[in-house]
Amino acid sequence: MDVDALQKLIHLLQATDDPLIQEQALITLSNSAAFSVNQDIIRNLDGLSVIGRMLSNCIPKVKEKALNALNNLSMNVKNQEEIQVYITQVCRTVESAPLNSDVQLAGLRLLTNMSVTSDYHQKMINSIPCFLRLLSEGTERTQIQVLKVLVNLSANPSMTIHLLRAQVPSMVLLFDSCINRDILVRALAFAANLKKNMNNEEGTISEEQYSEDSIFFILCRDSAPFAQRLASLLHHPDTEVKEQVVRILTQ
């Protein structure tokens, strides 16, 4: 798509209140943003802020398409610098959207891209309880998407304490050979990252700051059920599952 066509689309998005036209314009911008050259053009035309304003739209389909467009645009580092101002709003959208809805999944996909580097992790701290609730209550599709965010966050040592304090009593149930393989691998990677960071921070972590329902107790202090599940997963047929188990056991 050339510059003129993209500019017309962005102007159309600004000028119309018709949700069907907004939706179509956002889909076209989203498809265009799959090409890196267009990612820069859309930013230079101030398209990011125009699309960002659509996040406040009360029509779920429009909001979802705006999230999808920003998701494609966030593959670009310079675009991320502008999109990061919407992270708190996206987190609120994920929290308030109906469970397992397209809007919620679109928000999680955008947060996954925005959490690949640690630059914007601090903006997601308040949403950790929400992410873990979705991990307990969501469908497999939602669980996989939220685990992508949690694995990214857990790779950052400065997020370790925030994640260990979080409460998710049912988390140990994820470490089971019957669980969807994509969920299992990511849950193990999440646990392995936290164990690694804890060992690096040894001496600075005090048990008193954690409740008995916290991830800290599940993975570390109340570790008998977790240890038993890990032992059985050593016989899992999937190589990546076994590799992640070994990572945890050798931390």
Side-chain angles (χ1 to χ4, degrees):
M1 243 182 149
D2 63 23
V3 177
D4 284 347
L6 287 169
Q7 190 159 36
K8 283 174 184 168
L9 264 178
I10 291 164
H11 285 161
L12 177 64
L13 200 53
Q14 284 177 299
T16 185
D17 289 326
D18 185 326
L20 289 175
I21 295 173
Q22 289 171 336
E23 197 181 330
Q24 281 308 122
L26 287 165
I27 289 170
T28 309
L29 284 168
S30 183
N31 291 340
S32 303
F35 301 94
S36 55
V37 62
N38 290 338
Q39 293 167 7
D40 290 322
I41 293 169
I42 292 168
R43 182 185 69 252
N44 293 332
L45 292 171
D46 199 30
L48 294 176
S49 63
V50 175
I51 296 167
R53 283 197 284 277
M54 294 288 112
L55 296 179
S56 303
N57 197 294
C58 58
I59 309 288
K61 280 284 180 194
V62 174
K63 192 177 292 194
E64 178 207 339
K65 299 305 185 287
L67 288 164
N68 288 341
L70 290 176
N71 184 43
N72 284 350
L73 288 160
S74 71
M75 305 303 280
N76 175 310
V77 173
K78 284 189 176 176
N79 286 355
Q80 283 200 0
E81 290 170 9
E82 292 194 25
I83 293 170
Q84 57 100 7
V85 303
Y86 302 110
I87 287 177
T88 304
Q89 187 177 357
V90 174
C91 286
R92 282 200 301 264
T93 297
V94 167
E95 198 156 350
S96 61
L99 184 63
N100 307 316
S101 62
D102 290 337
V103 170
Q104 189 173 69
L105 286 160
L108 288 170
R109 280 193 293 270
L110 177 54
L111 293 177
T112 300
N113 276 353
M114 294 301 292
S115 61
V116 168
T117 68
S118 58
D119 295 350
Y120 311 116
H121 285 183
Q122 294 294 319
K123 292 176 177 282
M124 302 182 197
I125 287 173
N126 291 339
S127 294
I128 288 172
C130 164
F131 298 151
L132 291 164
R133 178 178 59 79
L134 296 182
L135 189 57
S136 296
E137 298 175 7
T139 59
E140 288 187 351
R141 199 165 63 136
T142 300
Q143 287 178 309
I144 290 168
Q145 203 59 58
V146 83
L147 274 165
K148 289 180 181 180
V149 179
L150 289 169
V151 169
N152 287 346
L153 296 180
S154 66
N156 179 358
S158 70
M159 298 297 287
T160 305
I161 285 179
H162 301 290
L163 290 164
L164 289 175
R165 279 181 184 155
Q167 297 180 11
V168 53
S170 60
M171 187 176 177
V172 77
L173 301 177
L174 294 176
F175 302 100
D176 191 292
S177 56
C178 299
I179 291 284
N180 174 307
R181 180 253 176 210
D182 289 334
I183 294 172
L184 181 57
V185 168
R186 289 181 173 87
L188 288 165
F190 175 64
N193 286 346
L194 290 178
K195 293 278 275 190
K196 177 186 174 185
N197 292 339
M198 277 176 60
N199 290 341
N200 293 341
E201 297 287 319
E202 206 164 11
T204 62
I205 288 179
S206 163
E207 287 189 33
E208 288 75 42
Q209 60 188 310
Y210 303 108
S211 76
E212 291 191 9
D213 278 342
S214 67
I215 290 179
F216 174 80
F217 268 80
I218 291 166
L219 299 186
C220 310
R221 287 299 164 262
D222 183 27
S223 58
F226 182 53
Q228 287 164 4
R229 285 171 178 265
L230 287 181
S232 69
L233 288 172
L234 280 170
H235 306 291
H236 197 282
D238 188 273
T239 306
E240 201 174 347
V241 168
K242 285 189 279 202
E243 284 172 358
Q244 293 295 348
V245 173
V246 171
R247 261 190 80 204
I248 296 169
L249 293 174
T250 55
Q251 296 290 355

